[in-house]
Short mmCIF file of all heavy atoms in Angstrom, two decimals:
data_model
loop_
_atom_site.label_atom_id
_atom_site.label_comp_id
_atom_site.label_asym_id
_atom_site.label_seq_id
_atom_site.Cartn_x
_atom_site.Cartn_y
_atom_site.Cartn_z
N ASN A 7 -76.20 -9.96 55.27
CA ASN A 7 -77.64 -9.71 55.13
C ASN A 7 -78.13 -9.92 53.70
O ASN A 7 -79.25 -10.40 53.50
CB ASN A 7 -77.93 -8.22 55.57
CG ASN A 7 -78.11 -8.09 57.08
OD1 ASN A 7 -79.16 -8.41 57.61
ND2 ASN A 7 -77.07 -7.63 57.73
N ILE A 8 -77.30 -9.59 52.70
CA ILE A 8 -77.68 -9.86 51.30
C ILE A 8 -77.82 -11.35 51.06
O ILE A 8 -78.77 -11.82 50.38
CB ILE A 8 -76.65 -9.25 50.33
CG1 ILE A 8 -76.72 -7.72 50.39
CG2 ILE A 8 -76.88 -9.71 48.90
CD1 ILE A 8 -75.59 -7.00 49.62
N ALA A 9 -76.86 -12.16 51.61
CA ALA A 9 -76.97 -13.58 51.44
C ALA A 9 -78.25 -14.19 52.02
O ALA A 9 -78.79 -15.13 51.49
CB ALA A 9 -75.72 -14.26 52.11
N ILE A 10 -78.71 -13.60 53.12
CA ILE A 10 -79.93 -14.14 53.77
C ILE A 10 -81.18 -13.53 53.16
O ILE A 10 -82.14 -14.28 52.87
CB ILE A 10 -79.86 -13.80 55.27
CG1 ILE A 10 -78.65 -14.47 55.94
CG2 ILE A 10 -81.17 -14.29 55.97
CD1 ILE A 10 -78.41 -14.03 57.35
N HIS A 11 -81.24 -12.22 53.00
CA HIS A 11 -82.47 -11.54 52.65
C HIS A 11 -82.52 -11.00 51.21
O HIS A 11 -83.58 -10.59 50.76
CB HIS A 11 -82.73 -10.39 53.58
CG HIS A 11 -82.65 -10.73 55.04
ND1 HIS A 11 -83.57 -11.58 55.64
CD2 HIS A 11 -81.79 -10.36 56.02
CE1 HIS A 11 -83.27 -11.73 56.91
NE2 HIS A 11 -82.20 -11.00 57.18
N GLY A 12 -81.38 -11.02 50.53
CA GLY A 12 -81.33 -10.42 49.20
C GLY A 12 -81.20 -8.89 49.29
O GLY A 12 -81.21 -8.31 50.40
N LEU A 13 -81.07 -8.24 48.16
CA LEU A 13 -80.88 -6.79 48.10
C LEU A 13 -81.95 -6.16 47.22
O LEU A 13 -82.13 -6.58 46.09
CB LEU A 13 -79.50 -6.44 47.56
CG LEU A 13 -79.14 -4.98 47.45
CD1 LEU A 13 -79.18 -4.27 48.80
CD2 LEU A 13 -77.78 -4.78 46.78
N GLU A 14 -82.68 -5.22 47.79
CA GLU A 14 -83.74 -4.54 47.00
C GLU A 14 -83.15 -3.27 46.39
O GLU A 14 -82.91 -2.28 47.08
CB GLU A 14 -84.92 -4.22 47.91
CG GLU A 14 -85.60 -5.46 48.46
CD GLU A 14 -86.93 -5.18 49.15
OE1 GLU A 14 -87.41 -4.03 49.06
OE2 GLU A 14 -87.46 -6.10 49.77
N TRP A 15 -82.93 -3.32 45.08
CA TRP A 15 -82.26 -2.23 44.40
C TRP A 15 -83.12 -0.94 44.38
O TRP A 15 -82.57 0.14 44.35
CB TRP A 15 -81.94 -2.64 42.91
CG TRP A 15 -80.88 -3.70 42.85
CD1 TRP A 15 -81.08 -5.05 42.76
CD2 TRP A 15 -79.46 -3.49 42.91
NE1 TRP A 15 -79.87 -5.71 42.74
CE2 TRP A 15 -78.87 -4.78 42.80
CE3 TRP A 15 -78.65 -2.35 42.98
CZ2 TRP A 15 -77.50 -4.96 42.85
CZ3 TRP A 15 -77.27 -2.54 43.01
CH2 TRP A 15 -76.71 -3.82 42.93
N ASP A 16 -84.42 -1.12 44.44
CA ASP A 16 -85.29 0.06 44.45
C ASP A 16 -85.18 0.85 45.77
O ASP A 16 -85.59 2.01 45.86
CB ASP A 16 -86.76 -0.27 44.15
CG ASP A 16 -87.30 -1.30 45.15
OD1 ASP A 16 -86.50 -2.00 45.80
OD2 ASP A 16 -88.53 -1.35 45.32
N LEU A 17 -84.60 0.21 46.78
CA LEU A 17 -84.27 0.89 48.02
C LEU A 17 -82.85 1.47 47.99
O LEU A 17 -82.63 2.63 48.38
CB LEU A 17 -84.35 -0.11 49.20
CG LEU A 17 -85.65 -0.14 50.03
CD1 LEU A 17 -85.51 -1.28 51.07
CD2 LEU A 17 -85.90 1.17 50.72
N LEU A 18 -81.93 0.66 47.49
CA LEU A 18 -80.49 1.04 47.52
C LEU A 18 -80.21 2.24 46.61
O LEU A 18 -79.52 3.17 47.02
CB LEU A 18 -79.64 -0.15 47.13
CG LEU A 18 -78.14 0.13 47.04
CD1 LEU A 18 -77.58 0.51 48.40
CD2 LEU A 18 -77.40 -1.06 46.48
N ILE A 19 -80.71 2.20 45.37
CA ILE A 19 -80.32 3.25 44.40
C ILE A 19 -80.70 4.62 44.84
O ILE A 19 -79.86 5.52 44.87
CB ILE A 19 -80.89 2.91 43.01
CG1 ILE A 19 -80.20 1.67 42.45
CG2 ILE A 19 -80.76 4.07 42.07
CD1 ILE A 19 -80.77 1.15 41.16
N PRO A 20 -81.98 4.89 45.23
CA PRO A 20 -82.26 6.28 45.70
C PRO A 20 -81.56 6.65 46.98
O PRO A 20 -81.24 7.80 47.21
CB PRO A 20 -83.80 6.25 45.89
CG PRO A 20 -84.17 4.82 46.02
CD PRO A 20 -83.20 4.08 45.19
N LEU A 21 -81.27 5.64 47.81
CA LEU A 21 -80.53 5.88 49.04
C LEU A 21 -79.14 6.40 48.78
O LEU A 21 -78.68 7.39 49.36
CB LEU A 21 -80.48 4.60 49.84
CG LEU A 21 -80.16 4.68 51.32
CD1 LEU A 21 -81.13 5.59 52.07
CD2 LEU A 21 -80.16 3.29 51.97
N VAL A 22 -78.47 5.76 47.81
CA VAL A 22 -77.12 6.17 47.42
C VAL A 22 -77.15 7.53 46.72
O VAL A 22 -76.34 8.42 47.00
CB VAL A 22 -76.42 5.12 46.56
CG1 VAL A 22 -75.09 5.62 46.02
CG2 VAL A 22 -76.23 3.82 47.35
N ILE A 23 -78.10 7.69 45.80
CA ILE A 23 -78.20 8.94 45.06
C ILE A 23 -78.44 10.13 45.98
O ILE A 23 -77.91 11.22 45.73
CB ILE A 23 -79.34 8.86 44.02
CG1 ILE A 23 -79.00 7.85 42.92
CG2 ILE A 23 -79.63 10.21 43.38
CD1 ILE A 23 -80.14 7.58 41.95
N GLY A 24 -79.17 9.91 47.05
CA GLY A 24 -79.43 10.99 48.00
C GLY A 24 -78.33 11.20 49.01
O GLY A 24 -77.94 12.33 49.28
N SER A 25 -77.82 10.10 49.56
CA SER A 25 -76.90 10.22 50.71
C SER A 25 -75.50 10.70 50.34
O SER A 25 -74.89 11.45 51.09
CB SER A 25 -76.77 8.87 51.43
OG SER A 25 -76.28 7.84 50.58
N VAL A 26 -74.99 10.30 49.17
CA VAL A 26 -73.62 10.69 48.80
C VAL A 26 -73.51 12.20 48.61
O VAL A 26 -72.65 12.83 49.24
CB VAL A 26 -73.17 9.89 47.52
CG1 VAL A 26 -71.83 10.48 47.04
CG2 VAL A 26 -73.00 8.43 47.84
N PRO A 27 -74.35 12.84 47.76
CA PRO A 27 -74.23 14.31 47.65
C PRO A 27 -74.61 15.02 48.96
O PRO A 27 -74.09 16.07 49.27
CB PRO A 27 -75.21 14.65 46.52
CG PRO A 27 -76.09 13.49 46.38
CD PRO A 27 -75.32 12.31 46.81
N GLY A 28 -75.55 14.39 49.73
CA GLY A 28 -75.93 15.00 51.02
C GLY A 28 -74.74 15.05 51.98
O GLY A 28 -74.56 16.08 52.64
N THR A 29 -73.97 13.98 52.02
CA THR A 29 -72.77 13.97 52.87
C THR A 29 -71.76 15.03 52.46
O THR A 29 -71.19 15.72 53.29
CB THR A 29 -72.13 12.58 52.85
OG1 THR A 29 -73.11 11.60 53.20
CG2 THR A 29 -70.97 12.48 53.83
N ILE A 30 -71.53 15.15 51.14
CA ILE A 30 -70.63 16.17 50.62
C ILE A 30 -71.11 17.57 50.96
O ILE A 30 -70.34 18.44 51.45
CB ILE A 30 -70.44 16.00 49.10
CG1 ILE A 30 -69.80 14.66 48.77
CG2 ILE A 30 -69.62 17.15 48.55
CD1 ILE A 30 -69.80 14.30 47.30
N LEU A 31 -72.42 17.81 50.72
CA LEU A 31 -72.98 19.12 51.06
C LEU A 31 -72.88 19.46 52.54
O LEU A 31 -72.52 20.56 52.96
CB LEU A 31 -74.45 19.16 50.63
CG LEU A 31 -75.25 20.45 50.91
CD1 LEU A 31 -74.60 21.65 50.22
CD2 LEU A 31 -76.69 20.30 50.49
N GLY A 32 -73.19 18.46 53.37
CA GLY A 32 -73.09 18.68 54.83
C GLY A 32 -71.68 19.00 55.28
O GLY A 32 -71.48 19.86 56.14
N SER A 33 -70.70 18.35 54.67
CA SER A 33 -69.30 18.59 55.02
C SER A 33 -68.90 20.04 54.67
O SER A 33 -68.18 20.68 55.41
CB SER A 33 -68.36 17.60 54.26
OG SER A 33 -68.68 16.29 54.60
N ARG A 34 -69.44 20.56 53.57
CA ARG A 34 -69.11 21.92 53.18
C ARG A 34 -69.85 22.96 54.03
O ARG A 34 -69.35 24.09 54.23
CB ARG A 34 -69.43 22.13 51.70
CG ARG A 34 -68.53 21.28 50.80
CD ARG A 34 -68.75 21.61 49.33
NE ARG A 34 -67.83 20.82 48.49
CZ ARG A 34 -67.82 20.91 47.15
NH1 ARG A 34 -68.68 21.68 46.53
NH2 ARG A 34 -66.92 20.18 46.48
N LEU A 35 -71.03 22.58 54.54
CA LEU A 35 -71.82 23.48 55.35
C LEU A 35 -71.34 23.51 56.81
O LEU A 35 -71.66 24.45 57.55
CB LEU A 35 -73.31 23.09 55.31
CG LEU A 35 -74.06 23.35 53.99
CD1 LEU A 35 -75.47 22.78 54.11
CD2 LEU A 35 -74.10 24.83 53.67
N ALA A 36 -70.63 22.49 57.25
CA ALA A 36 -70.29 22.31 58.65
C ALA A 36 -69.67 23.52 59.29
O ALA A 36 -70.04 23.90 60.42
CB ALA A 36 -69.36 21.09 58.80
N PRO A 37 -68.68 24.22 58.63
CA PRO A 37 -68.08 25.37 59.30
C PRO A 37 -69.06 26.55 59.54
O PRO A 37 -68.77 27.43 60.34
CB PRO A 37 -66.98 25.81 58.33
CG PRO A 37 -66.74 24.61 57.46
CD PRO A 37 -68.05 23.93 57.35
N ARG A 38 -70.20 26.55 58.83
CA ARG A 38 -71.11 27.68 58.91
C ARG A 38 -72.32 27.43 59.80
O ARG A 38 -73.17 28.26 59.97
CB ARG A 38 -71.64 28.05 57.52
CG ARG A 38 -70.53 28.34 56.52
CD ARG A 38 -71.15 28.70 55.17
NE ARG A 38 -70.13 29.00 54.16
CZ ARG A 38 -69.59 28.07 53.38
NH1 ARG A 38 -70.01 26.81 53.45
NH2 ARG A 38 -68.67 28.40 52.48
N VAL A 39 -72.40 26.20 60.37
CA VAL A 39 -73.59 25.79 61.11
C VAL A 39 -73.25 25.59 62.60
O VAL A 39 -72.17 25.10 62.94
CB VAL A 39 -74.19 24.49 60.55
CG1 VAL A 39 -75.38 24.04 61.34
CG2 VAL A 39 -74.58 24.69 59.10
N ALA A 40 -74.16 26.00 63.49
CA ALA A 40 -73.99 25.83 64.93
C ALA A 40 -74.04 24.36 65.28
O ALA A 40 -75.11 23.74 65.33
CB ALA A 40 -75.05 26.64 65.68
N GLN A 41 -72.89 23.76 65.55
CA GLN A 41 -72.79 22.34 65.81
C GLN A 41 -73.50 21.92 67.11
O GLN A 41 -74.06 20.86 67.19
CB GLN A 41 -71.31 21.91 65.88
CG GLN A 41 -70.56 22.08 64.57
CD GLN A 41 -70.91 20.96 63.60
OE1 GLN A 41 -70.90 19.80 63.96
NE2 GLN A 41 -71.21 21.30 62.38
N SER A 42 -73.44 22.78 68.12
CA SER A 42 -74.04 22.43 69.40
C SER A 42 -75.51 22.10 69.29
O SER A 42 -75.98 21.13 69.86
CB SER A 42 -73.82 23.59 70.42
OG SER A 42 -72.45 23.80 70.63
N ILE A 43 -76.22 22.94 68.52
CA ILE A 43 -77.66 22.75 68.37
C ILE A 43 -77.95 21.42 67.62
O ILE A 43 -78.83 20.64 68.02
CB ILE A 43 -78.30 23.92 67.65
CG1 ILE A 43 -78.13 25.19 68.48
CG2 ILE A 43 -79.76 23.66 67.33
CD1 ILE A 43 -78.61 26.45 67.77
N ILE A 44 -77.20 21.18 66.56
CA ILE A 44 -77.43 19.97 65.75
C ILE A 44 -77.12 18.71 66.55
O ILE A 44 -77.91 17.78 66.57
CB ILE A 44 -76.54 19.98 64.49
CG1 ILE A 44 -76.99 21.12 63.58
CG2 ILE A 44 -76.62 18.66 63.75
CD1 ILE A 44 -76.14 21.27 62.34
N ARG A 45 -76.00 18.72 67.29
CA ARG A 45 -75.63 17.53 68.03
C ARG A 45 -76.58 17.27 69.21
O ARG A 45 -76.88 16.13 69.53
CB ARG A 45 -74.17 17.69 68.52
CG ARG A 45 -73.17 17.63 67.39
CD ARG A 45 -71.79 18.12 67.80
NE ARG A 45 -70.93 18.34 66.63
CZ ARG A 45 -70.14 17.42 66.12
NH1 ARG A 45 -70.05 16.24 66.66
NH2 ARG A 45 -69.42 17.69 65.06
N ARG A 46 -77.05 18.33 69.83
CA ARG A 46 -78.03 18.18 70.88
C ARG A 46 -79.34 17.60 70.30
O ARG A 46 -79.99 16.74 70.87
CB ARG A 46 -78.31 19.53 71.55
CG ARG A 46 -78.88 19.45 72.94
CD ARG A 46 -78.55 20.65 73.78
NE ARG A 46 -78.80 21.89 73.07
CZ ARG A 46 -77.99 22.95 73.13
NH1 ARG A 46 -76.87 22.89 73.83
NH2 ARG A 46 -78.28 24.05 72.50
N GLY A 47 -79.69 18.10 69.10
CA GLY A 47 -80.88 17.60 68.43
C GLY A 47 -80.79 16.12 68.06
O GLY A 47 -81.77 15.39 68.15
N ILE A 48 -79.58 15.66 67.70
CA ILE A 48 -79.37 14.27 67.35
C ILE A 48 -79.63 13.37 68.53
O ILE A 48 -80.30 12.35 68.42
CB ILE A 48 -77.93 14.06 66.80
CG1 ILE A 48 -77.81 14.61 65.40
CG2 ILE A 48 -77.58 12.58 66.82
CD1 ILE A 48 -76.42 14.55 64.83
N VAL A 49 -79.14 13.77 69.71
CA VAL A 49 -79.39 12.97 70.92
C VAL A 49 -80.90 12.85 71.19
O VAL A 49 -81.39 11.77 71.54
CB VAL A 49 -78.67 13.60 72.16
CG1 VAL A 49 -79.04 12.87 73.44
CG2 VAL A 49 -77.15 13.53 71.95
N ILE A 50 -81.60 13.97 71.01
CA ILE A 50 -83.06 13.96 71.26
C ILE A 50 -83.75 13.06 70.24
O ILE A 50 -84.63 12.24 70.56
CB ILE A 50 -83.61 15.40 71.19
CG1 ILE A 50 -83.03 16.23 72.36
CG2 ILE A 50 -85.14 15.39 71.28
CD1 ILE A 50 -83.36 17.70 72.28
N VAL A 51 -83.38 13.22 68.96
CA VAL A 51 -84.02 12.43 67.88
C VAL A 51 -83.76 10.95 68.05
O VAL A 51 -84.68 10.12 67.90
CB VAL A 51 -83.52 12.91 66.49
CG1 VAL A 51 -83.97 11.94 65.41
CG2 VAL A 51 -84.09 14.31 66.19
N LEU A 52 -82.55 10.56 68.40
CA LEU A 52 -82.23 9.14 68.63
C LEU A 52 -83.07 8.58 69.77
O LEU A 52 -83.55 7.45 69.68
CB LEU A 52 -80.74 9.00 68.91
CG LEU A 52 -79.75 9.25 67.76
CD1 LEU A 52 -78.32 9.06 68.25
CD2 LEU A 52 -80.03 8.31 66.62
N THR A 53 -83.18 9.35 70.84
CA THR A 53 -83.96 8.87 71.98
C THR A 53 -85.42 8.68 71.64
O THR A 53 -86.07 7.67 71.95
CB THR A 53 -83.83 9.84 73.16
OG1 THR A 53 -82.42 10.04 73.45
CG2 THR A 53 -84.52 9.29 74.41
N MET A 54 -86.00 9.69 70.91
CA MET A 54 -87.39 9.58 70.53
C MET A 54 -87.61 8.46 69.55
O MET A 54 -88.58 7.68 69.66
CB MET A 54 -87.86 10.93 69.90
CG MET A 54 -87.90 12.08 70.86
SD MET A 54 -88.28 13.65 70.03
CE MET A 54 -89.99 13.34 69.54
#
């Protein structure tokens, strides 16, 4: 995709800055959060 369309750094940089710590935080919160509700919500959000 980069070879065809190029890479927009103003999209990539904030995406990485936000997603990497978000993933780490989510992993640490996982044991304390009701997974059933979140996973059910994901199916609904994906469909919508």
Side-chain angles (χ1 to χ4, degrees):
N7 276 281
I8 290 171
I10 298 170
H11 308 295
L13 179 61
E14 296 190 10
W15 292 95
D16 58 339
L17 263 176
L18 177 64
I19 291 174
L21 198 56
V22 173
I23 292 173
S25 61
V26 171
T29 305
I30 296 170
L31 178 60
S33 301
R34 294 186 177 180
L35 290 175
R38 304 181 181 90
V39 177
Q41 295 283 312
S42 297
I43 296 174
I44 293 176
R45 292 166 191 267
R46 202 154 47 221
I48 286 175
V49 173
I50 295 172
V51 168
L52 289 180
T53 305
M54 293 175 68

